[in-house]
Amino acid sequence: QVQLVQSGAEVKKPGSSVRVSCKASGGSLRDYTITWVRQAPGQGLEWVGRITPRLGIENHALKWKDRLKLRADKSTRTVYLDLSSLTSDDSAVYYCARENRETYHIGWLDPWGQGTQVTVSS
Amino acid sequence: DIQMTQSPSSLSASVGDRVTITCQASQDISSHLNWYQQRPGKAPNLLIYTASNMNAGVPSTFSGSGSGTKFTLTISSLQAEDAATYYCQQFHELPPTFGPGTKLEVK
């Protein structure tokens, strides 16, 4: 049974960058897509992007432009989210989740990591 | 992007009640709709996938239905531990989008 374990909370200055990691425990990420979702304080869920490690394919919302980069290290079963030029609007809990699919090219998210709090403050 | 709406935004019900939450998509999404439960301070948890398929371990009091643009999540007999916020999510096209959530209080 795969579990996703995320890195710890981060406090960053505006304009800096952050890296959040998501490691698969008890299984491999190789055949799956990992999705990132974030949740600002008191707000709903926002899809950030996804990466398929086996294919090296990344998709993310257009709003991120060049600020977001998703990476995968297959040898350590770890996926990384790198976000640059941080502003206070990026303060949120960032979740990773495994995407499951049957015949369609997008699917459902299960399981989820425990979440990583990112706080951007001067 | 496909817009998702949910109603109601919040509700309060008693243990044993039947509860229905509605989710509407801005265009036809076939059955490409998931439901998640999020308890306070916790990560979301998958309840229902592809509109009506129950995830393993989810109580049988939960069910999902619908297709096209209108979907419902039903809790047939509300339990105290069902207090949470419920989100629908479309996966018909990228980017997958979530509804704004329905906060359920158990009296």
Side-chain angles (χ1 to χ4, degrees), chain B residues 30-100:
Chain B
S30 184
S31 60
H32 300 137
L33 190 284
N34 306 315
W35 289 98
Y36 301 90
Q37 176 193 64
Q38 186 179 34
R39 295 190 174 104
K42 299 294 186 182
N45 187 43
L46 176 70
L47 292 175
I48 304 285
Y49 62 96
T50 321
S52 61
N53 295 283
M54 211 155 58
N55 192 26
V58 173
S60 58
T61 52
F62 287 89
S63 64
S65 65
S67 67
T69 62
K70 193 168 181 184
F71 302 84
T72 58
L73 174 71
T74 300
I75 308 173
S76 61
S77 179
L78 192 64
Q79 304 300 306
E81 58 267 27
D82 298 335
T85 300
Y86 294 84
Y87 295 94
C88 61
Q89 178 218 11
Q90 67 81 17
F91 65 99
H92 187 65
E93 64 181 40
L94 293 176
T97 44
F98 292 89

Side-chain angles (χ1 to χ4, degrees), chain A residues 5-114:
Chain A
V5 181
Q6 298 183 224
S7 49
E10 302 271 5
V11 179
K12 295 292 182 179
K13 300 281 189 192
S16 67
S17 300
V18 69
R19 167 170 281 193
V20 181
S21 68
C22 172
K23 184 177 173 67
S25 169
S28 171
L29 293 177
R30 204 180 79 90
D31 296 322
Y32 290 96
T33 294
I34 296 297
T35 290
W36 291 90
V37 173
R38 77 175 185 178
Q39 187 170 38
Q43 302 300 306
L45 303 171
E46 179 184 19
W47 186 84
V48 173
R50 67 178 191 170
I51 185 167
T52 303
R54 181 172 64 86
L55 302 176
I57 293 175
E58 177 188 348
N59 307 104
H60 55 80
L62 294 174
K63 64 176 279 184
W64 303 108
K65 296 183 182 177
D66 297 327
R67 292 206 300 134
L68 175 71
K69 186 65 182 175
L70 304 180
R71 305 175 191 275
D73 184 334
K74 288 179 280 189
S75 65
T76 62
R77 297 175 296 174
T78 304
V79 170
Y80 300 93
L81 177 151
D82 292 319
L83 189 59
S84 60
S85 302
L86 292 169
T87 73
S88 57
D89 289 341
D90 295 315
S91 293
V93 177
Y94 288 75
Y95 295 101
C96 64
R98 185 183 70 181
E99 184 179 311
N100 303 270
R101 298 190 291 267
E102 290 176 343
T103 55
Y104 202 62
H105 65 288
I106 316 172
W108 48 95
L109 303 177
D110 181 61
W112 293 61
Q114 82 276 20

